[in-house]
Amino acid sequence: MPVTSVEKDLDQLTITIVAEFTAPLRRLWDAYTDPRQLERFWGPPTYPAKFLRHDAVAGGRSVYVMTGPEGDAHYGCWEWISAAAPRAFEVLDSFSDAAGVPNPDLPTTRVDFAFEETSEGSRLRTTSYFDSLEQMQQLLDLGMLEGTRQAMAQIDTVLADLASFASERKAEAQVLSDTQVRVARVIRGTVDQIWRAHTDAALMKKWLLGPDGWSMPVCEVATAVGDKYRYEWQRDGGDERFGFTGELLESEAPYRAVTTEAMIGMDFPATLNELTLTVVEGGTLLSLVITYANAEQRDAVLATGMTDGMETSYQRLEGLLQPALA
């Protein structure tokens, strides 16, 4: 078991859990900041988690849902107070509703995650701070300690799975719910470079093309919240053309942007697209959570080969960035 000690300090109103791992420090840090990895161990085995949002930066937010064996869903959220990669981050951990709004009837806990190197690998010290003994006991009665032990027991398997999360870089689509899909890809480049690639029209025209044989004659970028954007593509040597338009709803450079997206000339409902960029070993993790109107729309879009087209574009983007990284 990774957990080596659990200490309750009734005077300081804290619970500190220490766990040891054979994996390197950076590998352990990335497991907590990459939602694809974190959700494989954040919930105990009978209540696996899905992270619907995960902004691993100060001022960011995370929203997750743990689903029980009877299909019961339990939501939680983090408010990121600080993040100092790869050594520490601090969050306010709350029970919440599906939108990530904290539940005022249940305790909010400040949790400090401290990472350090050891002779055998790495150590994680997790300290939870409570407002009162009553609050501490309430969470203990809800199974906090046992759930944490069960969750941490799963981390070694995730850390050992280098093929899926360290070596493999192709874009992958993961269904999160009936209406949500997350497309993730580690791109060889810095966060600033990847952000610029999504906000510089001249650069976007060079890589955001999908399969070969298309150009991007219209690329009107939204630069401020409330601005509208418009992108159009045309097949080389033909009249076939399509495009998307939408509005920039949120922008936190260079880590997060939220937009709506509607296909030009079609009567399909607009999607909500949440782009998050996270520094990971070897590059930048791009995570795009797309919310559809219903499962039918979700499945219809996935069936178009969307993910393959995105992978081709990301490969093209890496080709543009490689000279700058050399």
Side-chain angles (χ1 to χ4, degrees), residues 187-226:
I187 300 175
R188 296 173 180 86
T190 67
V191 166
D192 288 331
Q193 287 175 324
I194 309 307
W195 180 266
R196 178 172 173 262
H198 286 79
T199 54
D200 183 317
L203 184 55
M204 290 174 70
K205 287 185 175 184
K206 295 179 181 180
W207 72 270
L208 191 57
L209 304 174
D212 292 335
W214 289 80
S215 62
M216 193 178 187
V218 177
C219 184
E220 300 171 0
V221 179
T223 58
V225 172

Side-chain angles (χ1 to χ4, degrees), residues 71-116:
D72 47 313
H74 306 270
Y75 289 87
C77 66
W78 291 354
E79 178 183 341
W80 286 71
I81 301 172
S82 63
R87 296 291 180 178
F89 70 87
E90 189 174 12
V91 301
L92 293 177
D93 185 13
S94 304
F95 297 86
S96 76
D97 62 13
V101 178
N103 184 341
D105 298 326
L106 291 171
T108 290
T109 309
R110 180 167 62 91
V111 187
D112 178 72
F113 295 81
F115 302 76
E116 57 184 284

Side-chain angles (χ1 to χ4, degrees), residues 213-271:
W214 289 80
S215 62
M216 193 178 187
V218 177
C219 184
E220 300 171 0
V221 179
T223 58
V225 172
D227 285 354
K228 301 292 177 58
Y229 70 88
R230 187 181 182 94
Y231 306 147
E232 294 185 31
W233 293 265
Q234 183 168 335
R235 186 181 291 278
D236 297 343
D239 297 328
E240 188 177 352
R241 192 166 180 144
F242 72 97
F244 296 94
T245 186
E247 180 181 349
L248 180 61
L249 302 181
E250 299 178 32
S251 180
E252 297 291 339
Y255 299 108
R256 178 175 170 82
V258 181
T259 59
T260 59
E261 181 181 275
M263 195 167 189
I264 297 171
M266 303 296 287
D267 197 25
F268 298 139
T271 62

